[in-house]
Amino acid sequence: DTAVSQTPKYLVTQMGNDKSIKCEQNLGHDTMYWYKQDSKKFLKIMFSYNNKELIINETVPNRFSPKSPDKAHLNLHINSLELGDSAVYFCGAGRYNSPLHFGNGTRLTVT
Amino acid sequence: DAKTTQPNSMESNEEEPVHLPCNHSTISGTDYIHWYRQLPSQGPEYVIHGLTSNVNNRMASLAIAEDRKSSTLILHRATLRDAAVYYCILRDVVSNFGNEKLTFGTGTRLTIIP
């Protein structure tokens, strides 16, 4: 079983559309994350949730809205997609003083 | 955020040891040193972490300088599957819940020569 799984793996859409990326973890960890890797390969944290509560929000535009229905899921909804949103988005899960586990990413392309 | 400095790229021959350096001169006393790697088309993968003492696990060894301003990740016998970008990160815990904020730098792209 994959520890952290994301869907879809690839997402191609047009500017102005709304899309969601789903993430599920089967590790039983309390904390989940979204990271963004841009075209220059920089990985940057976007959000962190602990037990469905938002803990970290790194000045991400309001068009990005994470939703955590339970502690095993952290979905990312993006409204009014822009060209600059094109990137690879990684979901992660972890707990205190333990390694983070990442999914294999969702490559979002906005045309 | 505490910063780390790594060489942009390194090459190594297959089946030879690899030493990947990292400088972190602004490290604080409670910062842990973490190493992750990212294989092509995959998410970052944990490799090893330490605080003061050298650490060994099945993947690698971590040698930490006495003043903790630098560290070295050691792959004892590199294989082609070790070709990846290796990130040295100082762990920043931002809440009582232990939420980790891993600040990734540019990393070192390791190429393994067959």
Side-chain angles (χ1 to χ4, degrees), chain B residues 17-114:
Chain B
V18 182
H19 290 235
L20 296 163
C22 180
N23 288 322
H24 28 78
S25 58
T26 60
I27 191 170
S28 71
T30 55
D31 282 334
Y32 279 77
I33 302 157
H34 283 235
W35 283 81
Y36 282 74
R37 70 180 186 180
Q38 188 173 19
L39 280 67
S41 301
Q42 293 190 24
E45 172 189 31
Y46 169 79
V47 178
I48 200 167
H49 77 281
L51 183 62
T52 55
S53 304
N54 295 344
V55 184
N56 299 299
N57 67 20
R58 64 174 181 81
M59 287 181 74
S61 295
L62 177 60
I64 302 173
E66 199 168 329
D67 63 5
R68 301 209 327 123
K69 293 179 187 269
S70 65
S71 61
T72 302
L73 177 71
I74 302 166
L75 306 179
H76 294 287
R77 192 166 165 271
T79 70
L80 294 178
R81 296 199 306 176
D82 291 321
V85 178
Y86 286 78
Y87 296 99
C88 169
I89 301 161
L90 301 184
R91 191 191 78 178
D92 179 9
V93 178
V94 298
S95 79
N96 291 330
F97 298 113
N99 286 66
E100 314 239 343
K101 180 178 173 181
L102 297 182
T103 301
F104 288 81
T106 53
T108 296
R109 181 173 297 278
L110 176 64
T111 300
I112 305 298
I113 302 167

Side-chain angles (χ1 to χ4, degrees), chain A residues 40-63:
Chain A
K40 295 183 179 178
K41 304 295 186 183
F42 286 113
L43 264 162
K44 191 170 180 184
I45 190 169
M46 300 173 68
F47 300 103
S48 171
Y49 269 69
N50 185 282
N51 257 330
K52 305 193 296 176
E53 180 183 350
L54 179 65
I55 303 297
I56 297 173
N57 180 341
E58 284 289 301
T59 59
V60 178
N62 292 337
R63 299 181 295 103

Side-chain angles (χ1 to χ4, degrees), chain A residues 2 4-12 20-23 34 87-91 103-109, chain B residues 38-43:
Chain A
T2 304
V4 180
S5 58
Q6 301 177 223
T7 54
K9 187 172 173 67
Y10 300 97
L11 184 53
V12 181
S20 293
I21 307 172
K22 295 185 177 181
C23 178
W34 278 107
V88 183
Y89 292 84
F90 290 99
C91 177
N104 281 331
T106 295
R107 182 175 294 278
L108 171 64
T109 304
Chain B
Q38 188 173 19
L39 280 67
S41 301
Q42 293 190 24

Side-chain angles (χ1 to χ4, degrees), chain A residues 2-6 22-33 49 51 70-74 91-95 101:
Chain A
T2 304
V4 180
S5 58
Q6 301 177 223
K22 295 185 177 181
C23 178
E24 177 180 5
Q25 57 111 349
N26 63 7
L27 297 165
H29 290 342
D30 288 335
T31 306
M32 294 187 73
Y33 303 82
Y49 269 69
N51 257 330
D70 55 61
K71 77 173 196 179
H73 296 84
L74 181 62
C91 177
R95 58 184 169 90
H101 296 266

